[in-house]
Amino acid sequence: MDHRRRRVVVGTATAAAAATLGLPQSGARAEHKEEADTGVDIHIELHAVQEHLALRPGAPTRVWRYRGKVLRGDASTLEASDATYLGPIIRVRRGQRVRIDLINELPEPTIVHWHGLHVPDTMDGHPRHAIAPGQRYVYQFTVLNRAGSYWFHPHPHGRTGAQVYFGLAGLFLVSDDEEAALGLPSGRYDIPLVVQDRSFDGDNQFVYLGSSLLDSSPTDNLDQPPMMGGAMMGGGMMGRGMMRDGMGSMMGRMMGVLGDDILVNGRPSASLSVERRPYRLRVLNGSNTRTYKLAWHDGSPLIVIGTDGGLLAAPVRRDYVMLAPAERLDLWVDFARWAAGSQLSLQSLAFNGGMNMGGMMMGRAALPDGAPFRVLALRVEDGSQGAQEIAPPARLSEVPSPNPSVAVNFDRPKIFELTMGMMAWGINGQSFEMLDARPYETVRLGTHELWEFRNDATSGMIGMAMPHSMHVHGVQFRVIDRSVSSRFAGYRNTVDAGFVDDGWKDTVLVMPGERVRILVHFADYPGLFLYHCHMLEHEDGGMMRNYRVMV
Ligand code: C2O
Ligand code: CU
Ligand code: CU
């Protein structure tokens, strides 16, 4: 393992005050004393660093990643692996009071967002809170979410796509008593599967919009822009990047970046050896733009026990399930279904993904969105003959059915049209502005609202029919209904048997021409939060806005 430069800031009285407000601590750069915060159950330090990792035969790959350390609490709170750039996996229990110090050792600003967690706005990792290289940001919150598979990733303005692509992301797994009582498969039978796509250059380096990561150290260029060829601070598709990177990456910047290698838990050509017994597979789509249509190689049904916001009321069976960027699925699989020695594969099936051809414009054989491929190879181990396939518990959790009539705007849902204007993505024609929230983007603390995402404006434009993966920060919502005009039915027909809309969600796939209504409760925390498309180049390119929760 490499030895990273320790360059963090001194904790001072002022810094401590700033910490409780979630403000970045700045000050003299000096050795920081690692002192556990005794006012919390768990205190973690999370360093965003550059490292090298052997991912393929030949040269190691330069990555950006998080390195964690537990300063207070159970050491098993963090699970790290040197085989991947992902993680560490953070495991907490509902109700725990957590402090996490982010230390930025990258050559550019960053901030961490806790995707799916219900936390105050200063703890949510909004781009307005991004910290410069060498700075520390202190998060402190109580875990109020129910048990589920949440995750964390960077969120600096215009650079989320690049930073995630170069490796920054990890799972944040919450457990609670309700889940524990079910006795679901645990330990080595509870396996996270983070699915991503990447493109490598001939030197094994990740290529993002025509650029790869250069060797850099934060000390070299504290006041310099990021050390990447075609990269820009702050989005925009018509900027320098287009001139510099050419047509291929202009398309990628606009439509979204697709890689031709599928990685699971950060490994290309991933495989897994399993026993003939039940497993819990927690699948996260950590890809920048790619959507997956997951299915077993032999058509066996997928048994879904949970989604973004935790367990469903009861398991559902699907021939395939859709997984858009940032969505999660909890699967129950009893491999006793297959004979010992069987080779299985989890696949992504073909669907009509619209116009995103990925890197095709660059003349490489990239996989377009909707192309079929294998995600994961599995082998059923020998032994344990004769076991019976076991079904998951029939009742999983208390999930009330949503009641849209509680919405203050029950008869007039707020419309959020997904738009493209002047070559910039937007929502209702507006691109992202750091602190701006319009009147229709303002809600009252404690109320419920119906929101409707409409993907019919751009879908009607030639060449612009694309799915979007709509995410709302700070909340878990319910999907009320979906509709599609017959003109666009040809897209949705290829995916709609794979929606799992029954449980708590924070991200929802909206197919070309589709309208999706959600019910959102704005509880507990006033302030400024984001909502956006989680296809990260769309997000960085303007399809992101703020909403304000007013007291
Ligand atoms: Cu994964 Cu703004 O979110
Ligand atoms: Cu989020
Ligand atoms: Cu989008």
Side-chain angles (χ1 to χ4, degrees), residues 113-116 124 153 155 471-474 532 534:
H113 165 57
W114 314 100
H115 183 119
D124 183 60
H153 61 76
H155 224 303
H471 170 51
V472 186
H473 276 223
H532 60 86
H534 220 288

Side-chain angles (χ1 to χ4, degrees), residues 255 418 425 466-470 533-535 538-539 543:
M255 308 301 270
L418 311 179
W425 291 110
M466 283 204 67
H468 296 286
S469 185
M470 297 310 296
C533 177
H534 220 288
M535 293 175 175
H538 300 184
E539 167 183 339
M543 194 178 272

